[in-house]
Amino acid sequence: MAHGDADKANAPAVTTHVTRTYTTSDGGSAFEDLDVPLDIQNWIGALSEGTGVHEIVFRQTSGAYDLSWHTAPCRQFIIMINGGVDVTVTSGETRRFQDGDILLVEDVTGQGHKSKAVDGQMRKSILVKLRDDVTFLPKHETPGRQTASLAEHATDAVGTPPEHNGASAAATEASHDRQATDAVDEQLRHAEEEYRRRHPASLAQHQRAAEVMPGGNTRTSLFATPFPVTLSRGEGCRVWDRDGHEYLDGVGEFTAGIAGHSHPVLRAAVEKALAGGINLGGHSENELRFAQAIQERFPSMKLLRFTNSGTEANLMAVSAALAFTGRSKVLVFQGGYHGACFTFKHAGSNPVNAPFEFVVGRYNDCKAAEKVIQQHGAVLGAVVVEGLQGSGGCIPATPAFMHQLRRSTQEVGALLIMDEVMTSRLAPGGLQTELSVTPDLTTLGKYLGGGLSFGAFGGRADIMAAFDPREAGSIPHAGTFNNNSLTMAAGLAGMTQVYTQSALDALNTRGEALRAELNRICDHCQLQWTGRGSMMWPHFVRGAITCSSDADAADPRLKKLLFMHLNREGVWTNSGCMINLSLPWDDAGDASLIAAVQSFLSEHISV
């Protein structure tokens, strides 16, 4: 479209027809038809080139509204909004418009509006050009005042832009912030209502569970508001809830479910172990073979011992380090999670953390790590670190950071403990081999138990020798289920037949490609996916994330919206939306997750 004076002079008038809906004093509803003549001659130049073609969708969020218009031969028109409306354009922006707000748009098809199904309801939509700086006019008291305001703004749009002092600019920004906040709250309210409607059986079970467990919960990481969904079964990389919904399993049992659900090899191993007797109360052949398989894959573990979980493994490793060094302090890092009694996700202390003398450092900060290790060197017994903070947001450690920890601990005589409970699945021999760092002790857990309770710790022979019961004064380490026959059988079968190194390599390659694609489709907005290999985590912030505090500015409501949206779209996640791929996950799984995220972006992210 040309923008010269001749075009402006020939511009036709536009009439906007509005049906205004309002509530009367007695609580009833009333309607008022208004025909508002608007001369947009001076507006033609306002839609300058380069704004692109967008689809604008009118979505009712509160109150009632009706839109209608005619444009004569002109393809530009003005729309007056009645009731609360979220206007979303495909470029990624959503604005909250109130009763009486006005938009100037251009119909690039010349075909007018069309109906479109959104969330199962018919919405009005139109392909338009939309200019951020001139399309929104604030509401005024009467339609007559709105017409006058249009004339005033039209002159500013094609002539000299109106002057804005600092106060008015700040007020405008604050107004937009309030509108965005209102939009998020409204969308979240609708999402929660839909979530409740979809899961009545889960709600009923949650209410019954709350009578016997605090909050109906015995595992905090599985809780979600307004209530958690109850699962009934799983197969491959799919799970089903009590209300009959099927999901792609993105939780992957927080990395422990790498083999998927009821893998035939693992099931056969467990059935064979059951037939041979449960918990015989003695050593078994599988115990030896399983330990040998672990040592072969993780060569830094010269000697090792089994536990019942990753939490226990870390508890024993830290205790062993302090006993070996004769020191009292343990350096951990913000955002770290090493088990139920080793949680450092937040600045405050976890009241159930093990009673060690913890020093909390900043993850991925080489200089700070060097300084704090030197500062506490004489009393520092251990440094505990993940090569990728799993539950802390899938934040990878830099090689430089890990090498700094290795150098500094060696300088002061502290032991370096690598928590590979989650990360051992990400590289041959765990991330320690990928990062070229040999720790003094390593802890394992999760998937290595073949889907059953499992943990292990081990490392340098001189450190682990303290647990040798043949020696006088050795450290006792008992545990009824440390070498239980079911875990030993399933773990051995898994290590040697299921999650072989080639299988893990293929899975991690898939994960890298999937995360790259998710970041590509999210590149235009304030959403990114961090992680490594088959583990990933979404963050609603821009900029590099090297420490958990880098993501603190994220709006938690957006994460909740994503969680509920993925649930609706058939992707099973926890409330943090962590994604852990499993071996049965295939191209169809990739496509399902990508489609779910794309639909989330189009419906919500622009708020």
Side-chain angles (χ1 to χ4, degrees), residues 273-284:
L274 285 170
I278 305 174
N279 297 333
L280 301 177
H283 293 289
S284 68

Side-chain angles (χ1 to χ4, degrees), residues 514-526:
L514 176 58
R515 193 176 72 257
E517 177 61 15
L518 290 172
N519 278 322
R520 187 192 68 80
I521 65 176
C522 296
D523 184 60
H524 69 284
C525 59
Q526 192 167 298

Side-chain angles (χ1 to χ4, degrees), residues 20-32:
R20 182 184 180 204
T21 305
Y22 59 94
T23 303
T24 60
S25 59
D26 60 0
S29 297
F31 303 90
E32 179 181 10

Side-chain angles (χ1 to χ4, degrees), residues 569-583:
E569 296 299 309
V571 178
W572 180 250
T573 70
N574 71 320
S575 59
C577 299
M578 182 185 190
I579 298 292
N580 300 293
L581 306 189
S582 59
L583 294 174

Side-chain angles (χ1 to χ4, degrees), residues 23-183:
T23 303
T24 60
S25 59
D26 60 0
S29 297
F31 303 90
E32 179 181 10
D33 287 330
L34 303 171
D35 286 298
V36 183
L38 299 166
D39 184 351
I40 65 165
Q41 173 175 324
N42 290 326
W43 281 76
I44 291 180
L47 288 170
S48 62
E49 58 271 21
T51 59
V53 176
H54 312 291
E55 183 177 30
I56 192 168
V57 179
F58 299 93
R59 185 191 308 274
Q60 181 177 356
T61 58
S62 65
Y65 72 95
D66 179 68
L67 303 176
S68 62
W69 56 81
H70 65 270
T71 63
C74 181
R75 284 169 34 180
Q76 295 188 22
F77 54 91
I78 293 171
I79 299 174
M80 185 181 295
I81 305 298
N82 296 92
V85 179
D86 284 344
V87 178
T88 305
V89 297
T90 55
S91 60
E93 181 186 6
T94 293
R95 281 185 175 180
R96 172 72 172 175
F97 292 92
Q98 307 294 336
D99 185 17
D101 290 343
I102 294 173
L103 292 148
L104 174 68
V105 296
E106 177 185 9
D107 177 8
V108 298
T109 66
Q111 299 175 356
H113 76 272
K114 63 181 180 179
S115 295
K116 179 179 181 178
V118 177
D119 296 343
Q121 301 183 40
M122 298 308 294
R123 309 294 190 189
K124 296 190 176 201
S125 70
I126 193 167
L127 292 176
V128 299
K129 284 187 176 180
L130 184 62
R131 280 267 302 193
D132 289 346
D133 53 347
V134 298
T135 54
F136 173 74
L137 297 179
K139 67 178 181 179
H140 296 275
E141 294 297 326
T142 65
R145 177 64 184 129
Q146 289 166 345
T147 304
S149 175
L150 280 172
E152 295 165 4
H153 281 268
T155 302
D156 289 333
V158 296
T160 302
E163 295 296 326
H164 296 285
N165 58 36
S168 63
T172 300
E173 181 177 356
S175 175
H176 287 169
D177 288 343
R178 286 193 298 272
Q179 291 173 9
T181 298
D182 291 344

